[in-house]
């Protein structure tokens, strides 16, 4: 194992650029080699040239190369960073437009809902192959996963692979920026505990100098100028008592109350873009792709190092290299860390990391209403993982049918028809299913003069026939 970092999916221009800058800015990673891997060479060469410009301009002790060969990138790697998206914008378009045709209006569509489930189905077989390659080429490597849908992906990694992994998101960090602004308290002075699941982790404690910050946050959220920024997240806090880690656009998809009809959409999801707009993330991704196809934005970068971002990646690697512990919120398989959520489901909890690896903290029980909201998503995630492990399209249907947004809008036959259509439209990215879809089930036609067959009567209820109906 060498001082080597394999970046799988390094054609992700915005995200890979951020993480590379962070790692180049980390002294303990001096001298590392970076293998940038993507299945096609166009973007990856541009990313390599960008990285080399930074190395040269700042006289960094680092090496970088680009490859389309995943095994070459993984060979002898100490760290593996996953950030790929199978099917790209073409598949994302189907994830959004087919459900919309049936009335399921997604804003983000990458973590839950029909879009999130099918994104996972396009992804899991690649994760399985990466696990096989890691066992052979870099056994024991630390894997940092940024691939969505985080809950399903990390649930699958924990149950179906042997990877030494953690799932990373920036929801906690960015939400802490908001809480700092909404309470006018410096972020580094706020003592907090956040736990739950990815994109729905709850701030169980918010304190400043030993005092509770929740009364101030709640009071401000009653003011229109605050509430308009956080309609869904604010509404959930007003009713449950706790703030959580995702924006209106995300959270509106994870619960059944906010996108189920036009009245709810107009009331809670009327802000632009990730404030709840239909297809916001798909349209953003499509626009970014169009822009980068026309303009090589990396070629005009100056090569200057920027300050490290909020992303956990470089801080985790630094903690392992220096043995100076770092605390983060990470996604791992539940092993009684949250005691009223199922074991072997993915949870997002406080974790310490040092040279000995990841050390998750036990949270205990969540407040039961919060656990119930988390459970509604975990049910979908676990069904999707089971569907992948068993290559079972009926379990895919079951996952879609239990999705909170989908089930608030469609009946079972409509959900089945939509799921079948998504299977057929995306079959090129679903090789494991080999063209299999859920079976077709049609509604039963009941003629107007139909009488039901006789129903056996419980003898204990026969008293009604002898003594008249109850209440008479």
């Amino acid at each position: 194992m060498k001082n080597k970092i394999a970046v799988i999916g390094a054609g992700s221009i915005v995200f890979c650029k951020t993480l590379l800058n962070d790692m180049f800015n980390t002294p303990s990673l001096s001298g590392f080699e970076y293998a940038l891997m993507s299945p096609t060479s166009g973007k990856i060469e541009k990313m390599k040239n960008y990285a080399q410009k930074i190395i040269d301009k700042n006289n960094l002790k680092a090496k970088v190369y680009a490859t389309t060969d995943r095994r070459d990138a993984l060979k002898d790697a100490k760290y593996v960073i996953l950030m790929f998206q199978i099917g790209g914008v073409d598949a994302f378009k189907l994830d959004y437009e087919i459900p919309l045709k049936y009335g399921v209006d997604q804003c983000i569509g990458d973590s839950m809902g029909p879009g999130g489930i099918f994104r996972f189905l396009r992804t899991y077989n690649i994760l399985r192959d990466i696990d096989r390659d890691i066992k052979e080429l870099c056994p024991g490597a630390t894997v940092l996963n940024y691939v969505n849908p985080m809950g399903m992906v990390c649930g699958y990694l924990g149950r179906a692979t042997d990877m030494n992994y953690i799932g990373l998101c920036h929801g906690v960090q960015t939400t802490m920026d908001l809480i700092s602004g909404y309470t006018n308290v410096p972020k580094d002075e706020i003592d907090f505990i956040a736990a739950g699941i990815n994109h729905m982790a709850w701030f169980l404690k918010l304190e400043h100098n030993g005092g509770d910050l929740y009364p101030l946050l709640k009071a401000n959220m009653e003011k229109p100028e605050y509430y308009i920024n956080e309609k869904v997240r604010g509404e959930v806090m007003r009713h449950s008592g706790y703030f959580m880690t995702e924006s209106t656009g995300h959270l509106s998809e994870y619960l059944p109350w906010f996108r189920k009809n036009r009245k709810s959409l107009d009331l809670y999801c009327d802000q632009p873009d990730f404030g709840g707009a239909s297809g916001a993330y798909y349209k953003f991704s499509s626009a970014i792709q169009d822009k980068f196809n026309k303009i090589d934005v990396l070629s005009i970068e100056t090569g200057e190092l920027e300050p490290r971002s909020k992303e956990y990646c470089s801080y985790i690697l630094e903690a392992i290299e220096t043995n100076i512990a770092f605390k983060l919120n990470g996604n791992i398989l539940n092993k009684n860390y949250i005691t009223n959520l199922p074991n072997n489901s993915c949870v997002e909890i406080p974790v310490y990391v040092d040279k000995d690896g990841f050390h998750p903290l036990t949270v205990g029980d969540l407040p039961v209403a919060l656990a119930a909201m988390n459970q509604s998503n975990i049910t979908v995630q676990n069904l999707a993982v089971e569907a992948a492990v068993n290559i079972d399209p009926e379990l895919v249907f079951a996952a879609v049918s239990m999705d909170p947004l989908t089930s608030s809008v469609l009946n079972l036959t409509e959900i089945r028809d939509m799921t079948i259509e998504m299977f057929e439209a995306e079959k090129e990215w679903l090789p494991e299913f080999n063209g299999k879809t859920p079976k077709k089930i049609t509604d039963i036609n009941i003629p107007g003069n139909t009488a039901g067959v006789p129903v056996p009567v419980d003898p204990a209820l026969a008293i009604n026939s002898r003594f008249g109906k109850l209440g008479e």
Side-chain angles (χ1 to χ4, degrees), residues 269-313:
C269 303
D270 63 332
Q271 298 302 296
D273 303 325
F274 291 2
S278 180
Y281 191 29
Y282 160 67
K283 293 171 185 176
F284 170 79
S285 300
S286 181
I288 289 292
Q289 176 174 278
D290 289 345
K291 177 181 178 180
F292 289 167
N293 284 339
K294 297 172 184 175
I295 304 171
D296 181 4
V297 294
L298 293 176
S299 67
I300 60 177
E301 289 286 338
T302 64
E304 297 290 343
L305 274 173
E306 300 171 1
R308 286 165 81 175
S309 75
K310 302 178 182 70
E311 299 295 343
Y312 286 137
C313 172

Side-chain angles (χ1 to χ4, degrees), residues 176 179-187 189-192 205-220 237 241 243:
M176 283 306 301
I179 291 172
S180 173
Y182 292 162
T183 59
N184 198 30
V185 174
K187 183 172 70 170
E189 295 181 14
I190 299 176
D191 184 18
F192 73 91
K205 180 175 80 170
L206 284 173
E207 293 183 354
H208 181 234
N209 294 333
D212 188 3
L213 275 178
Y214 259 120
L216 176 57
L217 179 62
K218 291 176 181 178
N220 282 340
M237 183 178 68
F243 205 56

Side-chain angles (χ1 to χ4, degrees), residues 163-183:
M163 287 188 200
N164 173 31
Y165 78 96
I166 195 161
L168 302 176
C169 182
H170 50 233
V172 171
Q173 305 97 296
T174 56
T175 302
M176 283 306 301
D177 287 333
L178 291 174
I179 291 172
S180 173
Y182 292 162
T183 59

Side-chain angles (χ1 to χ4, degrees), residues 156-422:
Y156 179 81
L157 292 179
R159 292 172 58 184
T161 80
D162 295 319
M163 287 188 200
N164 173 31
Y165 78 96
I166 195 161
L168 302 176
C169 182
H170 50 233
V172 171
Q173 305 97 296
T174 56
T175 302
M176 283 306 301
D177 287 333
L178 291 174
I179 291 172
S180 173
Y182 292 162
T183 59
N184 198 30
V185 174
K187 183 172 70 170
D188 58 3
E189 295 181 14
I190 299 176
D191 184 18
F192 73 91
I193 296 175
I197 62 174
N198 181 241
H199 287 189
M200 203 192 294
W202 309 93
F203 287 89
L204 304 175
K205 180 175 80 170
L206 284 173
E207 293 183 354
H208 181 234
N209 294 333
D212 188 3
L213 275 178
Y214 259 120
L216 176 57
L217 179 62
K218 291 176 181 178
N220 282 340
M221 200 54 62
E222 295 297 318
K223 301 173 183 177
E225 63 269 28
Y226 289 84
Y227 182 75
I228 195 171
N229 292 343
E230 304 287 349
K231 284 191 172 184
V232 170
R233 187 158 42 175
E235 194 67 10
V236 169
M237 183 178 68
R238 295 175 75 224
H239 289 273
S240 73
Y242 293 87
F243 205 56
M244 48 75 65
T245 54
E246 275 306 328
S247 66
T248 281
H250 286 85
L251 186 58
S252 68
E253 296 178 345
Y254 308 153
L255 298 169
W257 309 303
F258 302 106
R259 304 187 73 86
K260 64 181 180 178
N261 53 37
R262 178 47 53 190
K263 177 182 177 182
S264 295
L265 284 164
D266 289 345
L267 184 59
Y268 298 114
C269 303
D270 63 332
Q271 298 302 296
D273 303 325
F274 291 2
S278 180
Y281 191 29
Y282 160 67
K283 293 171 185 176
F284 170 79
S285 300
S286 181
I288 289 292
Q289 176 174 278
D290 289 345
K291 177 181 178 180
F292 289 167
N293 284 339
K294 297 172 184 175
I295 304 171
D296 181 4
V297 294
L298 293 176
S299 67
I300 60 177
E301 289 286 338
T302 64
E304 297 290 343
L305 274 173
E306 300 171 1
R308 286 165 81 175
S309 75
K310 302 178 182 70
E311 299 295 343
Y312 286 137
C313 172
S314 66
Y315 299 97
I316 291 173
L317 305 190
E318 182 176 49
I320 295 173
E321 291 295 315
T322 65
N323 199 32
I324 299 173
F326 174 69
K327 183 183 177 184
L328 64 139
N329 275 71
N331 290 271
I332 59 172
L333 216 59
N334 193 25
K335 301 292 184 183
N336 288 319
Y337 304 126
I338 298 181
T339 44
N340 57 348
L341 292 180
N343 282 331
N344 293 324
S345 61
C346 177
V347 292
E348 186 170 279
I349 57 173
V351 177
Y352 280 95
V353 59
D354 57 22
K355 70 177 179 62
D356 295 317
F358 300 109
H359 310 286
L361 301 185
T362 298
V363 175
D365 276 2
L366 297 177
V368 291
L370 309 187
M373 285 185 271
N374 284 165
Q375 180 63 60
S376 71
N377 284 221
I378 287 172
T379 297
V380 175
Q381 294 164 2
N382 285 355
L383 281 167
V385 171
E386 287 290 335
V389 170
N390 293 285
I391 316 177
D392 187 342
E394 288 296 327
L395 286 176
V396 176
F397 160 74
V400 179
S401 70
M402 292 303 295
D403 173 66
L405 171 59
T406 304
S407 60
S408 74
V409 175
L410 302 180
N411 62 40
L412 286 171
T413 300
E414 292 167 332
I415 295 170
R416 183 173 287 272
D417 289 346
M418 179 185 70
T419 305
I420 292 171
E421 184 170 344
M422 293 184 75

